[in-house]
Amino acid sequence: MFKTYLGAFSAIFILFYTTITQALTPSPAQIEQFKKLPRAQQEALARQYGVDLDTIIGGSSNASANNQEDESTIGERRLNAENAEPQTPEEKFKPKQEELKPFGYDIFAGEPTSFMPSESAPVPDDYIVRPGDQVQISLYGKESATVDASIDRSGRLSIPKLAPVHVAGMTFKELKSLVSEKVSNEMIGVKAFVSLGQLRSIRVLVVGEAYKPGSYTLSSLSTVTHALFASGGVSDIASLRNIEIKRGGKVVNRFDLYDLLIKGDSSNDIILKPGDVVFIPPVGAQVSVAGAVKRPAIFELKKGESTADLLAMAGGLKANAYSEKVTVERAGQGDYKKVLSFDFSKGNSGYIPQDGDVVQIDESSSAYNNAVTLVGAVTRPGDYSWHKGKRVADMVESVRGALLPQADLTYALLLREVDVYGNIEVHQFNLAEAIAGNSAHNLSLQPRDKVMVFSRFESKKAEQNALKQLALTEAEQELQQKVKLWHLFEQRQFEKHVGAPRQSAILEEEVASDSLSRVIVEKQDGDKGDYATFSRKQLLAKVVNQLQMQAGAGERIKLVEASGNVRFPGVYPLANNMTIAQLVIASGGLTESAYLEQAEITRSESGTNTDVQHIAFNLQDALSGNTESLPLLKSKDTLNVLTIPNWQENIKVTLHGEVTFPGQYTIRRGETIKDVIQRAGGFSSYAALNAAIFTRVSIKAQEQKQLQRLTNELRRDLASKSFEQSMGSNNLSYDEMNRLIADLSSMPTIGRLVIDLGEILADEQELVLQNGDALYVPSKRDSVSVIGEVNYATSHLYSNKTDLDEYIRRSGGTKARADEDRIYVIKADGSVYVPQNKGWFAVNTGHQIEPGDTIVVPMDTAHMDNLTLWSTATQIFYQIGVGLAAIRGL
């Protein structure tokens, strides 16, 4: 038999020998394969090839030996992918919900990789030595040597030069004492150090609800937990609290793993002996504990365990646990469950755990009971402790230290809960007055109050420009970002608790029957401006939503609106005892154009259109505090601040060219062009009054609309023609017409108004100026231009002896596609003149051509398949081109 094994593994050993002689490290797989040979065969092969057996097993280096010694015999438990149900795409990306798992099962959830786990633990003194244990004896003194001796099957230990001694059944401590005494007595001058080398192996059975039940070879120092690890742990229905160790058919010990896992008590984790059976029974009664506990899981119960024991298994309650009302789901009779409630805050809750119970311990509310909140344009937003007598100034102590630079000192709100439903009432106050100690504004605070501080700016751009001018330090800029991030977090918390779907449903219901709510929703959904973080729009959105939700049949919506000449028109909360002056402050104050003598409040007492009232009042009296005759604001009131009659902003007009003092002039409303010309010192001697160009912003906008309309009509006409028969050779191609449309759409407009300066100066005409008007007065000209469908478009020196036809002949004559019947002249003042009776018998038209005129030879529209709008398009081209050329020539 030995020769058979020797022949079978010679090739393996030769490979090892070759590897070692070449100073290479054998792979872990090769070493593992060699170690599977019996010990006697390993020693025989080592002697045959003259190789140290310890070198082969231990490896060629210390690192290799350590890696092999520490190699885990328990791997990660593999999941059965074949039995796993395939997931849909929705299930893959759906948020995972935490499910309760049985406690302690994952501790031993492994996959055994070897039936001989390595043990390198120190040997205790009470270890019982038995046959198979290897004893290492180190001799020192008169002579030095190391002796490896094994306890044979008879229980004897044979030491060279000494008589054998029976040691089986002794403790390790007794063995050390015996060997040391024997060496000292029989070998004069020599002492011995005794240790144990390789320990004997034992074979135990792990049965029951083990992950892989079977027979396992373990070290003689192995305990019950080692056996559980070696078998890969326990199954999903195993009991951790009633593991039995049987020896000789009798139960010698019961092991409760909860004692080890929860209390750290390993007193029942006894050392196993050969032939022991570790039996794992099915799990007993189980109770699930979820919620605000430190260790939520499914726990196994023993008979007689109480609520305190169950909570101890769960690690106890969390600090935020709501123990006064604990819900227990219990299986009842039939198809229904029972739901029970217990007070765990008392010593005797009355709850007795039963199999299948699900204990749910909720968390306490995250809302503060004795706290007030500060939000908005402040340096330290958040929750503050409340005490009796606390006021706004105690939270906002100073303007510079507690507020951001953009904070509005005139408008702040205090939101106060008025009932258990969370409904609020609004108080408005002046923040600067509150900091100064004015008792009318330094409001007394109550628990759960919320103070809101707004920015002076609505748009983000305006706020950023203002902050740039302040030249904030790096620390101040960082503080701005921190406060904005906190505000965004607080906004998400609000949306999370209130719920967007619920808000949306309530708003839709309000819109169906309430005109003011419709205004609010339209403003919220349609007005998507880039607002500042702490603007009224941003901060008041939540407050407006809350006031809308709490409005009902017995409670009118507490909102008012400001419109007209206020800085920030919109919808605002109706504060307690709110006056007109407070609404003006809430809307940012009045604009420069506000009319102080009269304003009006629109009010509907019953909410219908039949009893709408318009209350006129003196706005100056309302702002100065004279409110004896003025009523307080009510639900859905609308304040309309009128504009000063004949109000206008600064109107500016511009004079260019041949005027004595060209430049920009500010005028009053109703002032004429003649008045401004007189202020500018009149014209120079070189001014060509008949060629003056007057432009107006409103006309320019009108021309742009007309040009766009014309372009769209041309494009539609061209598209319809593209489906007809292809055009002849004498017509424009599709690409040419498309380019012409593109040129037309990109053509700039100047907004020219044709005027006759001579008649204006002679008071025969009057031109009242508007903001943005401009007058261009060119120098006198002595040329006539010819453009359009001529062979050479150019300008000619004016001569009173030269007529229209002569100017055209001097430009090379007309092209083939020119429309000679529609030639026209653009006069220097912008008017258009169409000569009559052109032909062989035409009269002389030379007197009709003047310096600065432009002769236009249009295109024959017949070459474009009778597109009726082309003639209009070409006229626009020419007229705009002439006007632009005249302005650029100044």
Side-chain angles (χ1 to χ4, degrees), residues 123-124 127-129 133-136 151 172 175 194-199:
V123 180
Y127 174 72
I128 306 298
V129 296
D133 288 339
Q134 184 179 12
V135 181
Q136 293 180 347
I151 302 175
F172 179 46
L175 174 65
V194 181
S195 64
L196 287 179
Q198 183 174 358
L199 303 180

Side-chain angles (χ1 to χ4, degrees), residues 65-333:
N66 293 336
N67 291 340
Q68 184 65 21
E69 182 178 335
D70 296 337
E71 185 178 355
S72 176
T73 60
I74 304 297
E76 185 177 356
R77 184 176 294 184
R78 296 184 296 270
L79 297 177
N80 189 357
E82 296 179 358
N83 296 333
E85 296 183 0
Q87 289 184 324
T88 63
E90 294 181 357
E91 294 174 340
K92 289 181 180 179
F93 296 100
K94 186 178 181 180
K96 300 295 187 298
Q97 294 182 352
E98 293 293 333
E99 296 183 1
L100 291 181
K101 298 181 179 179
F103 172 71
Y105 283 54
D106 55 344
I107 302 293
F108 301 97
E111 183 84 20
T113 60
S114 173
F115 287 94
M116 296 182 64
S118 60
E119 295 290 345
S120 58
V123 180
D125 287 340
D126 59 353
Y127 174 72
I128 306 298
V129 296
R130 297 187 183 278
D133 288 339
Q134 184 179 12
V135 181
Q136 293 180 347
I137 305 173
S138 299
L139 303 176
Y140 61 95
K142 185 178 179 181
E143 59 179 276
S144 298
T146 300
V147 177
D148 290 337
S150 298
I151 302 175
D152 59 20
R153 294 187 177 183
S154 299
R156 296 178 302 176
L157 179 66
S158 298
I159 305 174
K161 300 181 182 181
L162 299 178
V165 60
H166 190 278
V167 296
M170 290 184 177
T171 64
F172 179 46
K173 183 178 182 180
E174 293 172 343
L175 174 65
K176 291 189 293 183
S177 178
L178 174 64
V179 172
S180 298
E181 183 179 355
K182 187 175 182 62
V183 170
S184 298
N185 293 337
E186 298 184 13
M187 300 178 69
I188 305 301
V190 178
K191 295 184 178 180
F193 177 79
V194 181
S195 64
L196 287 179
Q198 183 174 358
L199 303 180
R200 69 183 185 277
S201 298
I202 63 173
R203 184 167 289 275
V204 297
L205 281 172
V206 183
V207 296
E209 296 301 330
Y211 177 62
K212 285 194 174 181
S215 177
Y216 289 89
T217 300
L218 306 175
S219 167
S220 56
L221 288 177
S222 298
T223 63
V224 179
T225 53
H226 287 90
L228 293 177
F229 275 113
S231 63
V234 297
S235 69
D236 295 338
I237 60 170
S239 172
L240 299 185
R241 309 203 61 188
N242 192 28
I243 300 175
E244 298 178 350
I245 299 91
K246 296 184 178 182
R247 188 172 296 157
K250 296 181 180 180
V251 178
V252 297
N253 192 35
R254 296 182 186 273
F255 184 33
D256 186 350
L257 268 174
Y258 278 23
D259 292 339
L260 175 63
L261 299 178
I262 297 176
K263 303 175 184 177
D265 181 7
S266 63
S267 58
N268 286 328
D269 190 16
I270 62 174
I271 296 177
L272 298 175
K273 293 183 178 182
D276 281 356
V277 176
V278 178
F279 174 68
I280 307 173
V283 68
Q286 289 181 307
V287 175
S288 301
V289 182
V293 292
K294 298 176 181 177
R295 191 189 297 126
I298 301 174
F299 298 96
E300 183 180 357
L301 290 179
K302 283 186 175 180
K303 187 176 182 179
E305 286 185 324
S306 63
T307 304
D309 298 327
L310 181 62
L311 292 179
M313 297 177 196
L317 299 174
K318 289 184 178 179
N320 62 342
Y322 184 53
S323 59
E324 286 80 0
K325 188 177 181 181
V326 177
T327 303
V328 177
E329 294 182 8
R330 177 170 295 172
Q333 297 179 354

Side-chain angles (χ1 to χ4, degrees), residues 313-475:
M313 297 177 196
L317 299 174
K318 289 184 178 179
N320 62 342
Y322 184 53
S323 59
E324 286 80 0
K325 188 177 181 181
V326 177
T327 303
V328 177
E329 294 182 8
R330 177 170 295 172
Q333 297 179 354
D335 296 335
Y336 300 99
K337 288 185 177 181
K338 294 181 179 180
V339 178
L340 308 174
S341 296
F342 298 93
D343 186 357
F344 278 19
S345 63
K346 299 179 180 179
N348 183 15
S349 63
Y351 171 62
I352 301 176
Q354 294 185 15
D355 186 20
D357 283 357
V358 178
V359 180
Q360 177 66 42
I361 304 173
D362 296 326
E363 296 181 355
S364 299
S365 173
S366 59
Y368 296 103
N369 189 34
N370 275 349
V372 288
T373 305
L374 179 64
V375 297
V378 295
T379 57
R380 292 177 292 275
D383 298 305
Y384 290 78
S385 63
W386 175 86
H387 59 79
K388 189 174 182 179
K390 189 167 188 174
R391 293 181 175 270
V392 172
D394 298 327
M395 297 175 63
V396 187
E397 298 177 352
S398 64
V399 173
R400 294 186 179 274
L403 301 176
L404 296 179
Q406 65 265 39
D408 190 342
L409 301 180
T410 62
Y411 179 59
L413 294 182
L414 185 148
L415 310 181
R416 175 166 296 164
E417 294 186 4
V418 294
D419 54 32
V420 295
Y421 302 104
N423 293 332
I424 62 172
E425 64 180 13
V426 181
H427 299 266
Q428 181 177 334
F429 63 96
N430 185 298
L431 190 58
E433 294 291 337
I435 296 174
N438 187 337
S439 59
H441 297 275
N442 189 18
L443 304 178
S444 178
L445 299 176
Q446 295 183 9
R448 302 173 65 83
D449 279 355
K450 188 173 186 178
V451 176
M452 306 184 73
V453 179
F454 301 88
S455 171
R456 293 180 287 117
F457 308 95
E458 279 295 281
S459 70
K460 184 181 295 184
K461 184 176 181 180
E463 183 180 82
Q464 290 175 348
N465 292 337
L467 294 179
K468 287 179 182 179
Q469 294 178 359
L470 294 176
L472 300 180
T473 64
E474 185 175 348

